[in-house]
Amino acid sequence: MSAPRCDRTPAWGEMLALPRDLDLRRLFAADPQRAASFTLEAAGLRVDLSKNLWDAATRDTLLRLAAQTGVLARRDAMLRGEPINATEGRAVLHSALRAPLGTAPFGAEVQAALDEMLAFAEGVRADRFTDLVHIGIGGSDLGPAMAVQALQPFVKPGLRLHFVSNVDGHDLAAVLPQLDAQRTLFIVASKTFTTQETLANAEAAKAWFRSQGGTDVARHFAATSSARDRAAAFGIRNVFGFWDWVGGRYSLWSVIGLPLAIAIGASAFRDFLAGAHALDRHFAESPPESNLPLQLGLLDVWYRNALGFSSRSVAPYHQGLRRFPAYLQQLEMESNGKCVDMAGEPLPYATSPVVWGEAGTNGQHAYFQMLHQGSDVVPVEFIAVRRPRYGFVPEGELAALLEDQHRKLLANCLAQAQALMQGKRFEEALAEKAPTANPELAPEALARHRSFPGNRPSTLILLDELNPRSLGALIALHEQRVFVSGAVWGLNSFDQWGVELGKQLCSQLLPRLGSGDSVGLDGSTAAALQWLKA
């Protein structure tokens, strides 16, 4: 896997020397086939990259950069199970969790764990439980919570799922009054069964359960953890473990996906895995010229390092995907938010962008003003779904109204991407009437306020339907895309040392909040501690 760092390759200099004044309007005018040339398909996903600020020369240079930095060789090493997580000496095999038996490392162990988890999930679905409370944080929470929300139409009728993550007691306290202790199952998700926030919530949940007359902790609590002894000491009998080569933010495919499996059932969960595996096969087998995650990851490098864009907005035009931007925040920023390379050398270039967003059309009435007219250019990733699916079959007038709403949703999505690209010239704004404008304002001044620069890039990801298979493919696409940009930058995308220092300092400050001792603290922390203690 030995390959030079990106800034030490010829292609890096070539990339930085490329023209940066590309104009999307001129590019489309010059090439009627641009949309077709820059649209790729994989695992049922259709992704239009044509509204991005690149051309064929840019793409070719980026593909050379991928070749010179050994991205595909590193990909193959990852899929073979080599320990590419060098700082922790671990393999990175989340792809093996969704692979059919005999096609990836640890196949027998993975299938045995999957079968055991799904058997338990089906047992829960057949039981009298009405509520499931999942207690975890980070990768043990964001993935399951996002996926259950996205696949709500597939959730077993009558089953309510709640996700508690924050150590703030208000999180759990908002859920408990909704529950019947005798018909509630708690799932505690912590690989080591030592996570501070998760154990605090689990202990509080157990105390509440007992206060409600609950006695059978073993029946009403399950755990997804590799620390079976600690879970047993808590009183949990049903414990589902996983391996150290499963990173938290990549663990949804493992037993961490138990709440999703209970929600949608074993068959649908296998469809979810199959969609992700189909994307993995595309990533492993497609040539660079048509490899979707490879090109998305390279586009991210181009934007971050050549054009200097520091963030990316994700705008899913589907209410079920409203937590998808938060999920991607962890996936990308925890993976690639690094400032040293694999050898520990400081990096002279930027890495992960800030990833943020909101579901459309809500985001249009919040931050799209900045996207269209702000001083920073922010690439936008739109996600649209052709066919809606509700948790029931609408009929009559309601069916017609919901169909019309879906058309409005799609029209808004396409219009926003179009507006970002086209903009509005000063002359157009000057010729328009603006009924709400101040009539005393000079027309030229008003026109400048109402002009849009345009030429702002976006990607459009299209799904036929949001279902377990397409969601699996969508998540896997972003996982592999993050791998690509991290490999180009020479990072270890699979550790997260940056979260450790705060945990260490918290353990030191916690007893001080009880004692009020502020000796040795910096002035700001000491003052805040004393105020909170008082």
Side-chain angles (χ1 to χ4, degrees):
M1 290 192 299
S2 177
R5 205 172 68 184
C6 56
D7 59 329
R8 297 166 182 162
T9 65
W12 182 261
E14 295 168 11
M15 178 188 77
L16 296 181
L18 286 169
R20 304 183 195 185
D21 58 351
L22 296 175
D23 188 285
L24 290 168
R25 294 153 295 199
R26 289 198 293 268
L27 290 172
F28 273 96
D31 180 9
Q33 298 303 311
R34 178 174 171 82
S37 301
F38 285 88
T39 296
L40 299 176
E41 296 188 7
L45 307 176
R46 178 182 175 86
V47 182
D48 181 357
L49 301 171
S50 64
K51 287 191 178 76
N52 281 288
L53 292 168
W54 64 345
D55 57 13
T58 313
R59 183 165 60 179
D60 290 346
T61 302
L62 292 170
L63 290 174
R64 286 195 297 275
L65 180 64
Q68 292 172 18
T69 52
V71 172
L72 299 186
R74 187 166 175 79
R75 171 203 65 188
D76 296 342
M78 175 178 69
L79 297 176
R80 285 194 301 268
E82 294 183 20
I84 67 166
N85 177 354
T87 58
E88 296 177 307
R90 296 173 180 172
V92 176
L93 279 170
H94 47 276
S95 59
L97 297 170
R98 56 231 192 183
L101 183 62
T103 62
F106 301 101
E109 296 95 320
V110 167
Q111 290 302 313
L114 176 62
D115 291 343
E116 180 189 25
M117 180 192 77
L118 293 181
F120 179 77
E122 289 299 310
V124 172
R125 287 168 62 84
D127 209 327
R128 58 192 294 271
F129 293 115
T130 57
D131 289 85
L132 186 157
V133 180
H134 183 262
I135 300 174
I137 198 166
S140 298
D141 168 75
L142 284 167
M146 176 275 296
V148 167
Q149 196 173 71
L151 299 178
Q152 190 61 42
F154 298 85
V155 172
K156 178 190 174 187
L159 178 63
R160 301 188 303 171
L161 289 98
H162 315 269
F163 292 86
V164 174
S165 58
N166 201 332
V167 74
D168 182 353
H170 292 92
D171 197 2
L172 179 62
V175 171
L176 295 178
Q178 307 173 47
L179 308 177
D180 175 349
Q182 300 306 317
R183 305 191 71 180
T184 299
L185 174 68
F186 294 91
I187 298 176
V188 183
S190 173
K191 182 186 285 189
T192 62
F193 218 78
T194 59
T195 308
Q196 182 197 69
E197 300 94 331
T198 300
L199 288 191
N201 278 316
E203 290 288 357
K206 185 166 70 170
W208 172 86
F209 175 71
R210 286 175 169 163
S211 75
Q212 300 298 303
T215 57
D216 193 352
V217 171
R219 168 170 162 73
H220 288 270
F221 282 76
T224 50
S225 176
S226 298
R228 293 179 181 272
D229 54 342
R230 295 193 185 102
F234 184 91
I236 296 177
R237 181 178 63 241
N238 292 302
V239 183
F240 303 91
F242 50 110
W243 304 268
D244 66 359
W245 41 260
V246 181
R249 56 191 174 275
Y250 298 92
S251 63
L252 176 57
W253 322 100
S254 73
V255 297
I256 291 295
L258 177 59
L260 177 62
I262 294 172
I264 66 176
S267 177
F269 190 83
R270 291 187 187 275
D271 287 343
F272 175 66
L273 299 180
H277 177 67
L279 194 287
D280 290 340
R281 295 325 307 158
H282 166 86
F283 182 46
E285 298 168 1
S286 296
E289 296 75 17
S290 59
N291 196 305
L292 179 54
L294 177 66
Q295 294 199 24
L296 273 175
L298 292 171
L299 184 61
D300 293 338
V301 172
W302 166 247
Y303 280 161
R304 193 73 179 101
N305 301 117
L307 299 188
F309 300 155
S310 60
S311 79
R312 182 174 75 251
S313 182
V314 180
Y317 276 67
H318 192 295
Q319 187 66 5
L321 291 171
R322 59 192 178 277
R323 289 292 288 163
F324 196 56
Y327 175 79
L328 294 182
Q329 279 182 345
Q330 186 197 24
L331 175 63
E332 184 148 357
M333 295 166 69
E334 193 169 82
S335 294
N336 290 344
K338 315 285 172 62
C339 61
V340 298
D341 64 17
M342 291 286 288
E345 300 271 341
L347 295 175
Y349 46 81
T351 56
S352 173
V354 175
V355 179
W356 55 283
E358 176 64 63
T361 57
N362 293 356
Q364 294 175 199
H365 298 270
Y367 61 83
F368 271 52
Q369 164 65 40
M370 188 200 80
L371 298 180
H372 287 290
Q373 290 186 307
S375 55
D376 290 312
V377 175
V378 179
V380 183
E381 193 165 281
F382 294 97
I383 305 172
V385 179
R386 176 159 55 184
R387 295 187 296 135
R389 178 163 182 159
Y390 308 106
F392 63 97
V393 179
E395 298 178 349
E397 182 184 7
L398 176 60
L401 289 170
L402 289 176
E403 183 179 351
D404 181 62
Q405 284 186 252
H406 191 65
R407 283 195 297 268
K408 288 183 170 72
L409 179 73
L410 296 180
N412 271 280
C413 177
L414 297 179
Q416 291 298 322
Q418 187 180 23
L420 285 167
M421 179 184 74
Q422 289 183 352
K424 181 185 289 186
R425 293 180 298 109
F426 171 81
E427 292 77 14
E428 294 176 274
L430 188 62
E432 291 179 344
K433 299 294 184 182
T436 62
N438 181 354
E440 297 180 4
L441 191 64
E444 292 79 8
L446 178 61
R448 283 191 288 273
H449 280 284
R450 301 185 69 249
S451 299
F452 295 68
N455 201 38
R456 304 213 160 178
S458 66
T459 295
L460 177 60
I461 300 178
L462 296 171
L463 288 68
D464 179 57
E465 180 184 80
L466 182 59
N467 56 38
R469 188 178 183 92
S470 65
L471 180 65
L474 181 66
I475 297 171
L477 170 64
H478 285 81
E479 288 180 345
Q480 306 297 20
R481 163 217 205 133
V482 168
F483 166 84
V484 168
S485 56
V488 171
W489 285 322
L491 308 176
N492 182 1
S493 298
F494 303 102
D495 60 13
Q496 52 281 329
W497 301 107
V499 305
E500 298 299 325
L501 180 57
K503 291 180 181 180
Q504 295 166 7
L505 294 177
C506 176
S507 67
Q508 297 169 21
L509 285 170
L510 189 56
R512 289 175 181 260
L513 277 167
S515 67
D517 174 22
S518 60
V519 175
L521 297 177
D522 65 88
S524 172
T525 304
L529 187 146
Q530 291 296 337
W531 189 90
L532 291 167
K533 175 63 177 173

